[in-house]
Amino acid sequence: MRVLIVEDEPYLAEAVRDGLRLEAIAADIAGDGDSALELLSVNSYDLAVLDRDIPGHSGDEVARRIVASGSGIPILMHRFGQDLLLWGILAMAWLMGQRELGLRVAYEGVSSWRGSVLIFTVFLLVMVAVALGLTDRIRWKWLVTAGCLTYPLYLMHYVTGTTLVSRLHDAMDARLLVALVIAGFLLLSWLAHRLVERPVAQLLKRALESSFTRLRSFGRPA
């Protein structure tokens, strides 16, 4: 599989390319629309990831050229920017989150509302920093693995984690308990990633590559 990444922020483009390479997916980078069109004219791609606001031909124009070519290349497009409406939506999400936090604290009885708000707010600010590009220069390789752990951690932590905290919060220091629970579920998530997700991903990759090859050859003269 081969992917074209059209992005004028080199750190972001290289991070996406490095992540794809870890999954044995070839990727080329174009820093502007003209370079993207040139690469599309000489190479065959299975997917194009486009930024809309790029030098030269815009991402929209590159997308139109891809569609007009009849190549059938799937297109993923993203755009960075901020305005008052988006900040208002973010503020409303934070406010609505306070009600949900209050309900969960009352139902679960394993944490305080003040601590929950603090953690929720910190994570929201981290996501804002990522969205604004303030973390673009952070290129630690272990972040790719950390990203892979988020979904298995999400699937496993909630019911079991709250049960453990509820049962043990009177028996040991709260900070130690939280640290142990987090470390334990991170370990379980890593095992799920290495022993389940990666092997299954390889099987799916081979199956999808076979399907793409068959689709590309469909209708071609024998």
Side-chain angles (χ1 to χ4, degrees), residues 12 16 22 25 66 88 97 125 129-130 164 171 190 215:
L12 177 58
V16 174
L22 287 175
I25 298 174
I66 292 175
L125 290 175
V130 172
L164 286 173
W190 181 80
L215 289 173

Side-chain angles (χ1 to χ4, degrees), residues 21 33 60 62 74-75 91-92 97 109 140 142 146 150-151 153 158 160 164-165 177 207 219 222:
R21 285 180 175 176
D60 291 321
V62 174
I75 301 169
M92 184 60 65
W140 303 323
W142 62 266
T150 54
Y151 191 62
L153 179 63
Y158 180 65
T160 308
L164 286 173
V165 173
L177 176 58

Side-chain angles (χ1 to χ4, degrees), residues 132-211:
L132 294 177
L134 302 179
T135 61
D136 287 351
R137 293 182 178 273
I138 300 177
R139 304 178 61 193
W140 303 323
K141 291 184 177 181
W142 62 266
L143 287 175
V144 176
T145 301
C148 294
L149 300 185
T150 54
Y151 191 62
L153 179 63
Y154 162 74
L155 291 177
M156 293 188 293
H157 85 284
Y158 180 65
V159 175
T160 308
T162 53
T163 300
L164 286 173
V165 173
S166 180
R167 295 285 182 86
L168 300 175
H169 74 279
D170 290 329
M172 59 189 307
D173 181 77
R175 289 167 293 186
L176 177 60
L177 176 58
V178 170
L180 289 175
V181 169
I182 292 174
F185 278 105
L186 284 174
L187 177 60
L188 287 175
S189 300
W190 181 80
L191 291 173
H193 169 64
R194 291 301 299 266
L195 302 179
V196 179
E197 283 190 331
R198 289 184 63 172
V200 171
Q202 291 298 322
L203 293 175
L204 290 175
K205 176 186 173 185
R206 288 194 290 267
L208 289 173
E209 286 179 342
S210 176
S211 298

Side-chain angles (χ1 to χ4, degrees), residues 11-12 30 34 41 46 48 58 63 71 77-78 81 102 107 111 143 147 152 159 188 192-193 206 212:
Y11 294 105
L12 177 58
D34 299 333
S41 68
D46 300 293
S58 68
S71 63
M77 185 174 291
H78 69 274
Y107 172 73
S111 60
L143 287 175
V159 175
L188 287 175
H193 169 64
R206 288 194 290 267
F212 281 127

Side-chain angles (χ1 to χ4, degrees), residues 3-7 10 13-15 17 27-31 35 39 45:
V3 176
L4 175 62
I5 303 166
V6 185
E7 170 59 63
E14 290 169 9
R17 181 196 61 193
D28 298 328
I29 295 176
S35 300
L39 287 173
Y45 293 100

